[in-house]
Amino acid sequence: MLQKTCECGHPMEIRLRKVIYARAVEVDNVPVYMCPHCRRISILPEIKEDLARLIRDLGLEPERNAIDFADVSEWAYLIAQATDESRMHEPIQQLIADRVDQLLDLMLLARSLEDVAWEAELRGRLSQITRPVLAS
Ligand SMILES: [Zn+2]
């Protein structure tokens, strides 16, 4: 998981990049694979769906805006955590496990508050990170 070899044969690194969409919207913290050898870049397959949804929501002529992709995508959030200096030494699996625990706690809280919309949002976030894990 989260490892990729470049077409040129070198292992690719995961980086967070700022992407400008439609010359108006800055989307920060988009996780990409980058090859340190030939500089080829490709978007993480795990986040393609979230990015596509974001772009669809923005429409063709979005207003000037700045978005932190980590607020939209659980993978972007986790990778931002993984590249944060304080947690860099922890394996991504640990970060995922911690985040799943955190989301489950919040879901219990949302349920006890009978906040249906919040609970649905949390369930959506949870499914973003558990889906690829369960599939592998
Ligand atoms: Zn390469």
Side-chain angles (χ1 to χ4, degrees), residues 6-122:
C6 182
E7 284 170 45
C8 77
H10 284 75
M12 298 181 94
E13 296 170 356
I14 292 176
R15 294 283 171 82
L16 294 166
R17 301 258 307 198
K18 184 180 282 183
V19 174
I20 315 276
Y21 172 66
R23 278 189 264 170
V25 184
E26 285 188 7
V27 187
D28 213 352
N29 286 327
V30 178
V32 296
Y33 287 109
M34 199 198 73
C35 175
H37 185 70
C38 71
R39 306 268 145 193
R40 198 187 305 261
I41 281 173
S42 78
I43 286 174
L44 255 71
E46 283 85 356
I47 63 126
K48 270 186 184 158
E49 210 177 297
D50 299 332
L51 192 60
R53 179 160 10 95
L54 176 67
I55 284 171
R56 216 161 42 229
D57 291 349
L58 288 170
L60 288 175
E61 288 176 30
E63 288 179 25
R64 228 159 251 290
N65 200 356
I67 292 167
D68 185 349
F69 194 57
D71 290 339
V72 181
S73 161
E74 280 299 312
W75 280 103
Y77 173 87
L78 287 166
I79 287 159
Q81 290 267 297
T83 51
D84 185 87
E85 274 183 39
S86 63
R87 304 202 68 171
M88 258 172 88
H89 59 285
E90 294 182 37
I92 188 102
Q93 283 82 358
Q94 184 58 47
L95 297 174
I96 294 171
D98 286 355
R99 181 62 171 166
V100 167
D101 283 350
Q102 192 185 13
L103 287 169
L104 288 172
D105 284 349
L106 289 172
M107 268 179 72
L108 284 177
L109 182 62
R111 199 169 300 163
S112 68
L113 295 170
E114 296 181 4
D115 189 334
V116 178
W118 188 26
E119 192 187 335
E121 190 217 311
L122 291 167

